[in-house]
Structures are given as structure tokens and as C-alpha cells.
Amino acid sequence: MTGDWWSALFDFSDYGQLIWLLRNSILAGAVLGIVGGLIGVFVMSRDLAFAVHGVSELSFAGAAAGLLTGFGVVSGSIVGSLIAAVLIGMLGARARERNSITAVLMPAGLGLGILFLALYPGRASNKFGLLTGQIVAVDDPRLGVLAVVGGIVVLGLLVIWRPLTFASVDAEVAAARGVPTRVLSIAFMVLLGLAVAIGVQVVGALLVLSVLVTPAAAALRVSSSPIVVPVLSVTFATVSLVGGILLALGASVPISPYVTTISFLIYLVCRVIGRARNGRVARRRVVAA
């Protein structure tokens, strides 16, 4: 009995062949690790973790609609994400308004997604994969789309990185200095929507937070450097995704439990390290005083 569940979770037979066959999924995980790690830094600094979940629900609805109509899962996911991101960016200027809009969009997106999946006559695995991820679904055309969208997100972040950082730290001072905070907010939400659409293709709509939030949250536990935090966030996200995919290759369960477990363990380790470091700093201040 024990062997049955163990082999379902970890089966490394024919592992070399599986790695070659699913190399697109590994590359997609690496792309998402870079994108998620970079954009997650601003998700944390702008307090948008809840908004990520709202965008992912409409991304799921769009992907389900694309699956049902034949429009394409990736295309539908991108459209759904962009609609949610623009709505939140335009209507949710303040945190309270943003949370309210997100709370309205989440059940609407989830309900529509479930409706579209219920109407879809195809295999149940395709439906389940939209929620929890499916590593075998990344073919060459999809990998190309993910790489292009990921490149757009990274390039867009690099272009607006400095003013967006300023606006994220103190929006009022940035606006007084002439920074177009409103435009930056909408532009960032569009980039976030694209990043969420990529994440849904790999880890599913329900667990995209483990890629776009947890790595950055872990990085902020051990550093506050504007250079170190993005590097650590990208590293943590990539390790979680690629490591999760490598563990899930021979398993009969979805990829998302592996990715989320690795991501959560990294966060716990960083939290322990950060608490120990803060304790040492506090003791030094006491001694110095």
C-alpha cells in the first residue's frame, strides 16, 4: 500500500527519456521562474497579492472559454488576464477599492470557468489541468508563445523599473515629482496580467500565487537590497518551478503540489534565517547601547 502512493508521487523509471520528452515543460518553467520572480517583487511592494488571485480566476475563465470555443487555451487565458488586470488597474486606485473589485471578479471568473468546463465535451484531464497545471501540455507552439509573452513582460519591467520602484515606495511623492503614477499602475497591471496568464499554463489557476508571490516574499525575508531581492526572487521561483517539474516527471499527480511545496519550504527557511538575523541585529544594538 505504501509503495503504491510512493510510486504515484515519485517514479524515476525511464527518467532520462522523460526529461527529453518534456524538455518544453522544463523550459517553460524556467521562463515562468524569471518572469514570476521579477514581477513578484513589485507584487509585494505594491500589496497586490490578492489582486494576483483575482486575475488568475479570470485567466482561468478565459482559458476555459478558449478550450470550449477552440479559440485556444493560451489566447483565452491572456485575454481573461488582461481584462481583469485592466479593470483592477483602472478602477482600483486605492487598496480598499482594489480589494473590493478583486473580490467581485474572483467568484465571477471562477463561476464562468466552471460553466465553460462543464460545457466542454473533451477529456477531464484538460479541465483539471487548467486548475492545477499539466506538464505534458507545453508543445512547441505553446512554448514559443510563452517565451514571447515572458520576454514582453521582462522587457516592460526593465523599461519602467526605476519609476515603478519610486511609485511603489511612495506614490504621493512620486506623483509630486512628475512621475505618471496612474499610467504606471495600469501598465504594471497589464504586465502582471500577462505574467499570470503564463503561470496558469504551468501551475494552474488555483496555485499561481506560489510563483508570483511566495518567492518574492521569501526573498524579502532575508534581504532588503533592491538588487539582491530580485535576484533571490528569480532564483527561488526558478528552483521551485524547475525542481517541481523534475520531481513530477514520472508521477501520476499534477505538477502544482511539487512546485508549491518547494516554494513553501524555501519561504520557511528564509523566514527562519531572517528571524535569526534580526535577532542578532537587535542584540548588537543592545550591546552597543
Side-chain angles (χ1 to χ4, degrees), residues 77-102:
S77 177
I78 292 174
V79 171
S81 291
L82 290 178
I83 290 175
V86 171
L87 286 175
I88 295 173
M90 293 182 64
L91 302 179
R94 298 177 180 177
R96 181 178 299 178
E97 296 173 347
R98 184 169 61 240
N99 289 337
S100 299
I101 294 168
T102 303

Side-chain angles (χ1 to χ4, degrees), residues 14-26 135-140 249:
D14 300 324
Y15 197 68
Q17 296 180 2
L18 288 173
I19 290 179
W20 175 252
L21 289 174
L22 298 178
R23 62 190 182 277
N24 283 352
S25 299
I26 298 173
I135 61 175
V136 298
V138 185
D139 52 14
D140 288 339
L249 283 181

Side-chain angles (χ1 to χ4, degrees), residues 37-284:
L38 287 176
I39 207 163
V41 175
F42 291 105
V43 169
M44 294 301 298
S45 64
R46 299 176 71 85
D47 194 20
L48 289 172
F50 188 48
V52 170
H53 199 30
V55 174
S56 70
E57 299 294 1
L58 270 189
S59 180
F60 161 64
L67 184 66
L68 175 64
T69 62
F71 178 64
V73 172
V74 178
S75 301
S77 177
I78 292 174
V79 171
S81 291
L82 290 178
I83 290 175
V86 171
L87 286 175
I88 295 173
M90 293 182 64
L91 302 179
R94 298 177 180 177
R96 181 178 299 178
E97 296 173 347
R98 184 169 61 240
N99 289 337
S100 299
I101 294 168
T102 303
V104 170
L105 291 176
M106 283 176 57
L110 187 59
L112 286 174
I114 293 174
L115 172 63
F116 296 146
L117 290 187
L119 296 174
Y120 177 66
R123 294 183 303 171
S125 60
N126 290 334
K127 305 176 183 181
F128 194 56
L130 292 179
L131 292 171
T132 60
Q134 190 175 11
I135 61 175
V136 298
V138 185
D139 52 14
D140 288 339
R142 183 172 295 188
L143 177 62
V145 173
L146 295 182
V148 170
V149 174
I152 292 173
V153 174
V154 172
L155 182 60
L157 283 175
L158 293 177
V159 170
I160 64 174
W161 191 280
R162 291 192 60 166
L164 185 62
T165 300
F166 189 11
S168 300
V169 173
D170 195 328
E172 294 182 358
V173 174
R177 293 287 185 88
V179 176
T181 54
R182 181 74 170 174
V183 174
L184 280 175
S185 178
I186 296 175
F188 175 74
M189 289 303 300
V190 169
L191 296 177
L192 178 60
L194 293 175
V196 169
I198 298 176
V200 169
Q201 306 307 313
V202 181
V203 296
L206 294 181
L207 300 171
V208 73
L209 289 173
S210 64
V211 178
L212 300 184
V213 175
T214 308
L220 288 168
R221 285 289 173 179
V222 296
S223 177
S224 58
S225 168
I227 297 176
V228 175
V229 169
V231 172
L232 287 178
S233 181
V234 169
T235 301
F236 295 158
T238 304
V239 169
S240 299
L241 281 157
V242 176
I245 291 172
L246 291 176
L247 287 176
L249 283 181
S252 58
V253 297
I255 177 182
S256 47
Y258 300 94
V259 174
T260 54
T261 300
I262 295 174
S263 183
F264 181 64
L265 289 176
I266 290 174
Y267 175 79
L268 286 181
V269 171
C270 290
R271 188 176 181 89
V272 171
I273 293 173
R275 179 172 293 182
R277 185 193 62 178
N278 292 336
R280 289 195 299 268
V281 172
R283 286 193 294 271
R284 289 174 184 172

